[in-house]
Amino acid sequence: MIQTKGQFQSAKRFLFLVGDIGQFTLRFFREGFHKPFEWKEILKQCGEVGYRSLSLVGVTAFIMGLVLTIQSRPTLVEFGAESWLPAMVSVSLIREIGPVITALICAGKIGSRIGAELGSMRVTEQIDAMEVSGTNPFKYLVTTRVLATSLMLPLLVIFADTIALYGSFLAVNIKGAVSFQLFFNQVFETLEFSDLIPSILKSFFFGFIIGIIGCYMGYNSKKGTEGVGKSANSAVVVASLMVFILDLIAVQITDLFYEL
Amino acid sequence: MNENRNNLKLGIFITLGTICFVAALYLLGAKQNLFGGTFEIKAIFNNVNGLQKGNNVRYSGINVGTVKEIVILNDTAIEVNMMVQIDVHEFIKVDAIASLGNDGLMGNKLVNISPGGSRSRTIEVGETLLSINELDADEMLRRLEETNKNISLITSSLVGIVDKIDKGEGPIGTLLNDNNMALDLAKTMTNIRELSFQTASLSQNLSKSFNNFQSSENTIGMLMNDTVLAAEIRTVVDELKNFGTNSEKISSDLNTIVSGIKKGEGTVGTLLSDSIANDDIIKSIDNLQKGSEAFNENMQALKQNFLFRRYFKKLEKKK
């Protein structure tokens, strides 16, 4: 009985959380596209999210391409289909692995940063102070960060895909000898618009959800410094989960339009 | 200053990202001939075997375009519209043949265009290519299934036949199981072997004889080898030919004479055909016979006449 009551409370809390995040998102749309725009803050956040995450995303993507190619090679060699390696790796990277891994890295790096930053601002009452001083903290803190993550994640995914393909090319050349031109010819021979466009579109939504979850968790942080850590942690966990859920929805929608 | 530097870095980041994205779009678009000149041609198939929009079109193995649209015209005709690069337009003749193929063993479907005759005219934009409908994998499997059934039937029949043979039924079974027949067969084989030896020796003898004919100076050898004799024989043959020709003339003349005689022309003809003359001749012969008999009587009388008796006795003595 007690256990059932506890489960009911958990479900209730979850539904409250979902409703709160929904309202938070609606507020973003209400306030995000009305003047005045915080251009400087948007650019600053773009730099923080995009440029400063590039090295981490780049290294991860390079290793990802390299490892995926090396791991896939023996199976393809067994079937005598080694020449399909560029095609197979490129489709895997562009369609799925590139956007999802980049989004997860960003959920970890950017989501936690935003959650911790806004959380500490909340617990140190800086957000309250902004409200008192007449600045709209939501517009200044949340809108700018969500826009920055939404705009920068697709770019990071493009970089990640490019670097991962280069890593794959190097991996192919460890065992065999394939020219740069032949490798990329085979890659683009296989790829279609239906591979690239949905991948970029879904990475835009991944960025959006990472920004929204990070900001929500930080903006609604409670219980002092403990709450800051909790916000950062929740931001990463929920954003990562949401990335997978969005990916599932994106695959269904892509299949609907492009018949994968 | 620091803010400017950050903005510069962000600008570089965004520019490079955008360039990568645009390059990817360009390369994908170029593959689908979005940026180059293209023209449309068509082909009609009974079955497109899973061909889709965007699949490659190849001309002699080179990717030259993509499938633009697939339209069902009726229950037996499916029209495939293809966008082909304008550069290859001049090479695609009106009698070029479109067929469906696979990119590798498990690859995508594609349309192969085989070149037409070099003297044929170039195909017009929107014109329909000739097409070949090839067997699809399902059809092949269906046929293989039928073949398997037939093989199964044949195998079961063979099992029955072998069983009968094993039991000694039928001529082959008897042949294999009957000892007497086996002995007879062995004898027959021995006879055949002897016959073959004899045939071999006969052929050797024939070969020797033939060699003798070729080398020796006997009649056949001379006939075969002597060129002078051959010339003489040829002359003889020519003469025989002349003789034949002459004989032909003679026989035709004789024929004319005989036909004349038959018609009663000339003396002989009159003799043969005139019954009155015939009677006269018979009478004359009769008269001659009678006359000779009378003459004989006269001669006998003359021999016994004393005037001539001495003369006849002298003649007998001389004999």
Side-chain angles (χ1 to χ4, degrees):
Chain A
M1 183 67 185
I2 295 164
Q3 198 181 358
T4 314
K5 198 177 176 184
Q7 283 174 348
F8 178 73
Q9 288 296 328
S10 296
K12 200 176 166 185
R13 272 202 304 275
F14 174 73
L15 290 174
F16 269 125
L17 178 71
V18 172
D20 258 6
I21 292 173
Q23 278 200 340
F24 194 78
T25 310
L26 280 176
R27 193 177 169 193
F28 165 78
F29 284 113
R30 271 201 306 271
E31 296 189 13
F33 301 102
H34 289 104
K35 287 181 181 177
F37 297 113
E38 301 289 347
W39 291 116
K40 275 191 176 178
E41 185 59 16
I42 290 173
L43 285 177
K44 188 188 163 204
Q45 289 304 323
C46 281
E48 289 290 329
V49 173
Y51 172 72
R52 286 185 188 278
S53 305
L54 182 61
S55 53
L56 180 64
V57 167
V59 170
T60 316
F62 181 79
I63 293 167
M64 209 161 58
L66 198 86
V67 169
L68 181 67
T69 309
I70 291 170
Q71 298 274 29
S72 308
R73 194 173 177 280
T75 314
L76 289 177
V77 167
E78 206 171 311
F79 287 108
E82 195 185 350
S83 61
W84 281 28
L85 204 52
M88 198 208 77
V89 170
S90 64
V91 169
S92 310
L93 284 172
I94 304 291
R95 276 192 188 177
E96 191 61 31
I97 298 173
V100 172
I101 297 287
T102 309
L104 288 176
I105 291 166
C106 289
K109 185 181 181 292
I110 300 161
S112 63
R113 186 184 68 80
I114 293 172
E117 194 178 15
L118 295 192
S120 63
M121 286 176 86
R122 170 62 74 190
V123 297
T124 55
E125 297 177 347
Q126 288 180 53
I127 293 173
D128 298 331
M130 284 170 80
E131 274 176 1
V132 171
S133 65
T135 311
N136 184 349
F138 193 91
K139 207 170 181 67
Y140 188 79
L141 298 174
V142 176
T143 310
T144 51
R145 280 165 177 75
V146 173
L147 279 175
T149 51
S150 304
L151 293 173
M152 288 300 107
L153 209 80
L155 277 177
L156 283 172
V157 167
I158 289 165
F159 275 112
D161 288 345
T162 312
I163 294 166
L165 285 175
Y166 188 71
S168 173
F169 164 68
L170 288 183
V172 167
N173 271 279
I174 289 171
K175 290 283 172 76
V178 177
S179 72
F180 186 81
Q181 195 178 0
L182 177 62
F183 180 86
F184 279 93
N185 269 344
Q186 287 180 330
V187 166
F188 284 102
E189 185 64 35
T190 315
L191 291 176
E192 304 278 343
F193 280 121
S194 59
D195 298 318
L196 185 67
I197 303 296
S199 148
I200 301 301
L201 281 177
K202 78 180 174 187
S203 62
F204 173 80
F205 287 104
F206 289 165
F208 178 78
I209 206 74
I210 289 166
I212 282 285
I213 299 291
C215 289
Y216 172 81
M217 293 301 175
Y219 203 78
N220 295 294
S221 184
K222 286 164 191 166
K223 294 179 191 172
T225 47
E226 186 195 339
V228 175
K230 215 170 177 181
S231 300
N233 182 259
S234 302
V236 174
V237 173
V238 177
S240 301
L241 182 67
M242 285 306 293
V243 163
F244 283 111
I245 291 170
L246 274 182
D247 191 41
L248 177 71
I249 296 166
V251 166
Q252 299 296 327
I253 293 171
T254 310
D255 189 38
L256 201 69
F257 282 103
Y258 288 103
E259 293 177 0
L260 293 175
Chain B
M1 186 68 185
N2 196 27
E3 194 179 322
N4 283 341
R5 189 183 285 177
N6 279 341
N7 284 351
L8 179 68
K9 285 175 183 172
L10 182 64
I12 294 167
F13 171 77
I14 291 172
T15 310
L16 283 177
T18 311
I19 288 170
C20 286
F21 184 61
V22 171
L25 286 181
Y26 177 78
L27 288 169
L28 291 177
K31 193 190 81 177
Q32 294 186 11
N33 303 309
L34 290 181
F35 308 116
T38 55
F39 70 101
E40 188 180 332
I41 47 174
K42 298 171 185 173
I44 293 172
F45 297 95
N46 291 340
N47 185 343
V48 292
N49 290 326
L51 186 79
Q52 291 178 336
K53 276 186 202 175
N55 278 143
N56 284 331
V57 176
R58 285 184 181 166
Y59 176 79
S60 298
I62 304 165
N63 284 335
V64 294
T66 50
V67 173
K68 183 192 168 195
E69 202 173 16
I70 299 170
V71 185
I72 301 174
L73 296 179
N74 54 50
D75 57 346
T76 55
I78 296 166
E79 186 181 84
V80 177
N81 296 329
M82 297 167 275
M83 298 306 294
V84 179
Q85 290 168 13
I86 200 83
D87 309 350
V88 293
H89 186 190
E90 60 180 305
F91 302 111
I92 301 178
K93 307 294 181 185
V94 74
D95 56 351
I97 295 168
S99 60
L100 296 173
N102 274 340
D103 190 3
L105 191 63
M106 295 175 287
N108 290 327
K109 286 278 168 194
L110 51 86
V111 180
N112 280 314
I113 300 176
S114 308
S118 56
R119 290 181 183 175
S120 307
R121 70 172 172 81
T122 305
I123 196 164
E124 297 291 327
V125 174
E127 207 168 348
T128 304
L129 285 171
L130 301 172
S131 60
I132 297 174
N133 288 291
E134 287 170 356
L135 274 179
D136 64 334
D138 290 341
E139 180 68 18
M140 284 166 73
L141 285 173
R142 261 199 300 280
R143 289 193 180 185
L144 205 63
E145 177 67 24
E146 282 176 20
T147 313
N148 281 343
K149 279 179 186 170
N150 292 338
I151 288 171
S152 173
L153 286 172
I154 291 165
T155 313
S156 61
S157 300
L158 271 175
V159 167
I161 290 165
V162 169
D163 193 39
K164 279 182 180 175
I165 291 169
D166 199 36
K167 285 175 184 170
E169 292 173 7
I172 299 172
T174 314
L175 190 71
L176 289 174
N177 293 300
D178 191 344
N179 290 333
N180 292 331
M181 195 166 277
L183 288 170
D184 289 348
L185 201 67
K187 279 180 187 171
T188 310
M189 290 306 292
T190 313
N191 290 338
I192 288 169
R193 198 176 298 127
E194 281 175 11
L195 185 68
S196 71
F197 284 137
Q198 285 172 5
T199 310
S201 69
L202 183 67
S203 69
Q204 279 179 351
N205 291 337
L206 275 171
S207 175
K208 278 179 190 170
S209 304
F210 190 72
N211 287 334
N212 286 335
F213 290 154
Q214 282 188 323
S215 59
S216 68
E217 292 179 352
N218 57 32
T219 314
I220 296 172
M222 281 173 71
L223 276 171
M224 290 175 73
N225 300 313
D226 194 341
T227 52
V228 178
L229 187 63
E232 284 173 4
I233 289 169
R234 201 170 292 124
T235 314
V236 170
V237 169
D238 288 342
E239 284 172 0
L240 276 170
K241 258 185 206 171
N242 289 332
F243 175 73
T245 315
N246 293 336
S247 299
E248 204 174 339
K249 276 182 184 174
I250 291 162
S251 68
S252 82
D253 292 346
L254 275 171
N255 199 22
T256 314
I257 291 163
V258 168
S259 64
I261 290 167
K262 275 184 183 172
K263 286 175 186 172
E265 292 171 358
T267 316
V268 180
T270 311
L271 279 171
L272 287 172
S273 57
D274 193 342
S275 57
I276 298 164
N278 203 15
D279 289 343
D280 290 345
I281 288 165
I282 291 166
K283 280 177 184 172
S284 302
I285 291 167
D286 195 39
N287 290 336
L288 274 172
Q289 207 168 355
K290 284 175 181 173
S292 67
E293 281 174 2
F295 182 72
N296 281 341
E297 281 176 8
N298 292 335
M299 283 302 290
Q300 285 294 329
L302 206 62
K303 280 180 183 176
Q304 289 172 3
N305 192 285
F306 70 98
L307 290 174
F308 296 97
R309 196 179 294 160
R310 204 172 174 177
Y311 171 73
F312 285 110
K313 279 184 180 173
K314 274 183 184 173
L315 280 176
E316 283 177 1
K317 280 178 183 174
K318 278 182 183 175
K319 286 178 184 176

